[in-house]
Amino acid sequence: MKQETFSDIAYSFRKKKSKREEFLEIMDEIIPWDEWVGVIEPYYPKGRCGRPPMGIEKMLRMYLLQIWFSLSDPATEDAIYDSYGLLSFAQPYTMPACRSGMVRKS
C-alpha cells in the first residue's frame, strides 16, 4: 500500500483530471507490468559494480513516458518534477529518512 503524500491529498480534491492523467491511468491498468519486467530482467544490469541500478519497472515507466510524450532524458526528468500525473505514473521511490537527512546523527 502506498502512503499518501500531501500532494496526493491536495490533488484528490480537484474537480477534473487532465487528459494526460486519464491516459496514464488507463495505460497503468492495461499494461502487464509483471510480464514486461520478467522479459527485461535477464538483460538488466545486476549492479555488481559501480552505482546500483534503478528498479526495472521504474525505468520502464520512465522509458514509456519518453516515447509517449516525445521527451529526452533531461526533459523526462523535468516533466516528472513538473507534472503530478507523470509523477504518479512513474511511481518514484521514497528515500529512507536516514538518507534524506531527516534523522539527526548523535
Side-chain angles (χ1 to χ4, degrees):
M1 183 175 147
K2 181 184 167 199
Q3 181 177 353
E4 281 192 291
T5 64
F6 289 124
S7 297
D8 293 333
I9 294 168
Y11 275 88
S12 68
F13 290 111
R14 292 179 306 154
K15 297 193 187 296
K16 184 180 177 191
K17 290 183 183 180
S18 68
K19 291 185 185 288
R20 180 174 26 187
E21 285 176 312
E22 290 174 0
F23 169 75
L24 292 173
E25 284 179 2
I26 292 169
M27 298 314 290
D28 194 27
E29 290 176 13
I30 65 172
I31 292 175
W33 295 108
D34 294 334
E35 290 177 32
W36 287 20
V37 168
V39 170
I40 297 169
E41 194 168 21
Y43 307 100
Y44 200 72
K46 305 292 185 238
R48 294 185 186 117
C49 304
R51 189 174 181 179
M54 294 183 80
I56 298 172
E57 185 176 340
K58 182 181 186 107
M59 290 302 293
L60 177 60
R61 289 172 177 271
M62 292 175 72
Y63 178 70
L64 291 173
L65 290 175
Q66 283 184 314
I67 292 170
W68 292 332
F69 300 110
S70 300
L71 301 169
S72 65
D73 288 348
T76 302
E77 185 177 353
D78 289 343
I80 288 171
Y81 283 123
D82 289 342
S83 170
Y84 178 77
L86 296 180
L87 178 69
S88 60
F89 180 80
Q91 295 181 344
Y93 67 94
T94 54
M95 292 178 61
C98 61
R99 283 191 165 175
S100 64
M102 297 179 69
V103 175
R104 285 190 215 159
K105 294 181 180 179
S106 310

